[in-house]
Amino acid sequence: MALRRLLQRSSINQISSRVFPCCSQHFCTAASPSEPIRATLFPGDGIGPEISESVKQVFNAAGVPIEWEEHFVGDKVDPRTESFLTWESLESVRRNGVGLKGPMATPIGKGHRSLNLTLRKELGLYANVRPCYSLSGYKTRYDDVNLVTIRENTEGEYSGLEHQVVRGVVESLKIITRQASLRVAEYAFHYAKANGRQRVSAIHKANIMRKTDGLFLKCCREVAEKYPEITYEEVIIDNCCMMLVKNPILFDVLVMPNLYGDIISDLCAGLIGGLGLTPSCNIGEGGIALAEAVHGSAPDIAGKNLANPTALLLSSVMMLRHLKLSDKADQIHNAILSTIAEGKYRTVDLGGNSSTTDFTKAVCDHL
Amino acid sequence: MARRGLPLLRHVLRHSAAASSSLPPLKTLAFAETRRSVTYMPRPGDGAPRAVTLIPGDGIGPLVTGAVRQVMEAMHAPVYFETYEVHGDMAAVPPEVIESIRKNKVCLKGGLTTPLGGGVSSLNVQLRKELDLYASLVNCFNLAGLPTRHQNVDIVVIRENTEGEYSGLEHEVVPGVVESLKVITKFCSERIAKYAFEYAYLNNRKKVTAVHKANIMKLADGLFLESCREVATKYPGIKYNEIIVDNCCMQLVSKPEQFDVMVTPNLYGNLVANTAAGIAGGTGVMPGGNVGQDHAIFEQGASAGNVGNQKIVEQKKANPVALLLSSAMMLRHLQFPSFADRLETAVKRVIAEGKYRTKDLGGHSTTQEVVDAVIAALD
């Protein structure tokens, strides 16, 4: 019943149908609407605290029933997690099932894992979802981008297994497993179905890397058979790159192994205006979703009220959809889009001269 | 736009004893339209026809190599082609083809399909490894008269062609777990870096950018970067910088004018070359080739779409521009600069006019119409 109402709305309001919640229990945490939902918030470094403040203000103005649990990155290495993120922070995300993460600067040095790696491994975040759509009102060279990139996040070329065979010869292992490929393919098709997407394209280089990408493709094909209503195609990565820069409208949902996903998702972010406008969400085992801002922490403008909160706001909308709070999600999403479309309040990176607080206020006014 | 390479001519000019004051600006030499004031002085016998191996290939390959053949005949260029049939589903490149390329040293090739799913390894990769063609070059530039979303693009992507992710070393560890080895050696990284800087030096390019992912693959791409840095110190006149591959792709779609020459390992080079070709007009117009110590194979620059699809083959609407411009590069490589200039000028004129363009450039012409237009534009 709720599903039909949501799907009806998606056919009317084209904008809101782009980023949609997952609908099966396997992929989402159940949200009870009566009591406030607890969500973990990592404000992060640099401009992180300012834009997190923005999100909190907008959520308050919209009346979103979320209670934030803030956690900060410590300055000592926690031996239980081998990184600057404490065990309590990770437990909090596991308990709440959702989180929002601001930009984190990776501390340099040895003896600890990188922050992103820690989150990924400890929470089992296996899929990175980035919807890329052209924002009306912010003109780039590409006007009609509307695609979603889904990237396998745990294995592939980024396994980190390298060694020096002899002096001057280095080997790096790329690992593809059936289990991880099936998992990300399942999520991709499920996402496509739940969001009314027509086509899923698997991106690969199986003509050269026949066994590894071949296994990935085989898993995608197996999952595709279970969703006959969704068109499935396979595109070689070099064709894909060229088609994306010439005619991005050809693509709908892209599912890829780790390295190609990294490059293609950043390419798509470049098409729509950069990382400052791109939402992103990581999906983990057991339905955990950690939405994040993928841009850097911009220490040079930290604290000056100049930062652009759009990426974090759009990511928080993704988080709301994951929690099935679609009304609030749509409301906030439309408010953000109309603020940018209007063009009166734009932060410095988009060519305007509004401050973070002005932009946030404009979004709240548009609610 | 005028930084097109005329390596032999520049070499001659740099070593000419007198005339340093009366040297014309090198820019004007790029177009054969203006009269050249310094001539290329051949050795007696340089005009003897050269044999070039020709591999038509699969899909649109025969169409576009046929186009090159027609134009070469119309120009009376001193090359003759020894044609060999090679198809993507053969198990290996026939030994007589390899022999012919070793003898002639130069080859022109259409695309070869690589069947998916295993069994046969890519013939393109086999050819490159067998002949040790370690550098793959694609020149991506805006053509006058061809509207694109990005302007001021003039990028040369130099890609290591023999190792890296394309080593072909894969195995199944246990059922459901597959490993693939990416191999980076100092030897190969050094020689591709040397080639990139030498190319930049000989073609008057100002900047070389190394593309990598060394923040994740610290040892492998770290070794590649180390080699690039070492070679960079030997060319103090050329600027050198490094960029991570995902940021690179993002910059390519937003600010491509910042890139000049890019040197990359094998896989990233494939992606970057196709992206750069796409932003500058498409892979149907970008020339390129593979070169090694002793041999060179010229083909359509970036690999996407070099075989085309069934529809284009049936309708005979393949774009011959990429292969025509690559054959102009080949003519320069063979030391026939005036034929190269004439061919290039004619092709650019046809594109600028805009009357005869194939579907990928927004027109409706067939391959034959474009070829006829190029032949008519030859002077």
Side-chain angles (χ1 to χ4, degrees), chain B residues 6 9-10 13 24-41 332 336-342 345 379:
Chain B
L6 282 170
L9 209 40
R10 291 219 169 85
L13 291 172
L26 293 175
K27 280 193 259 200
T28 59
L29 301 171
F31 289 115
E33 263 144 295
T34 59
R35 177 159 305 179
R36 262 191 261 120
S37 30
V38 183
T39 10
Y40 149 65
M41 186 175 81
R332 276 200 198 97
F336 301 129
S338 78
F339 289 97
D341 290 344
R342 285 167 59 200
T345 319
D379 56 10

Side-chain angles (χ1 to χ4, degrees), chain A residues 141-144 157-160 162-164 167-179 204-213 215 217 221 234 236-239 241-242 244-248 259-260 262-263 266-267 269-271 274-275, chain B residues 114-122 125 149-150 165-166 170-172 176-186 213 216-221 223 245-247 249-250 253-256 267-268 270-271 274-275 278-279 281-283 303-305 360:
Chain A
R141 292 181 175 104
Y142 298 88
D143 289 327
D144 45 4
E157 297 83 345
Y158 291 6
S159 314
E162 300 179 291
H163 68 284
Q164 184 165 248
R167 252 191 69 172
V169 179
V170 174
E171 262 179 13
S172 172
L173 290 176
K174 163 179 169 168
I175 313 237
I176 300 273
T177 58
R178 192 175 152 72
Q179 185 208 15
H204 65 96
K205 188 80 186 168
N207 47 347
I208 305 283
M209 288 185 263
R210 278 166 295 127
K211 292 198 179 119
T212 38
D213 286 351
L215 176 58
L217 284 184
R221 279 179 209 141
E234 296 169 357
I236 301 187
I237 178 113
D238 37 6
N239 268 333
C241 281
M242 192 194 51
L244 267 175
V245 292
K246 284 199 92 177
N247 202 2
L259 176 70
Y260 311 144
D262 191 5
I263 299 176
D266 277 2
L267 209 164
L271 294 177
L275 292 177
Chain B
T114 309
L116 290 179
V120 188
S121 79
S122 164
V125 176
R149 288 185 174 103
H150 302 83
E165 296 84 348
Y166 290 21
E170 300 175 295
H171 67 287
E172 188 167 40
V177 178
V178 185
E179 260 180 15
S180 169
L181 289 176
K182 162 178 167 166
V183 180
I184 301 272
T185 57
K186 187 153 175 65
K213 189 84 188 172
I216 305 282
M217 289 186 258
K218 301 188 171 78
L219 286 182
D221 287 350
L223 181 56
V245 62
D246 45 9
N247 190 16
C249 286
M250 212 174 351
V253 285
S254 41
K255 288 200 223 86
L267 179 65
Y268 311 145
N270 192 359
L271 306 187
N274 281 287
T275 309
I279 59 173
T283 50
S303 52
D360 57 325

Side-chain angles (χ1 to χ4, degrees), chain A residues 115-172:
Chain A
L115 299 166
N116 286 322
L117 185 66
T118 314
L119 282 167
R120 195 165 32 92
K121 287 260 152 77
E122 296 290 333
L123 301 171
L125 302 172
Y126 63 85
N128 178 303
V129 183
R130 267 195 221 177
C132 293
Y133 39 88
S134 298
L135 295 168
S136 64
Y138 182 58
K139 188 131 182 31
T140 57
R141 292 181 175 104
Y142 298 88
D143 289 327
D144 45 4
V145 184
N146 182 5
L147 49 89
V148 181
T149 60
I150 299 185
R151 159 194 172 192
E152 205 290 321
N153 219 356
T154 57
E155 53 171 27
E157 297 83 345
Y158 291 6
S159 314
L161 298 160
E162 300 179 291
H163 68 284
Q164 184 165 248
V165 183
V166 293
R167 252 191 69 172
V169 179
V170 174
E171 262 179 13
S172 172

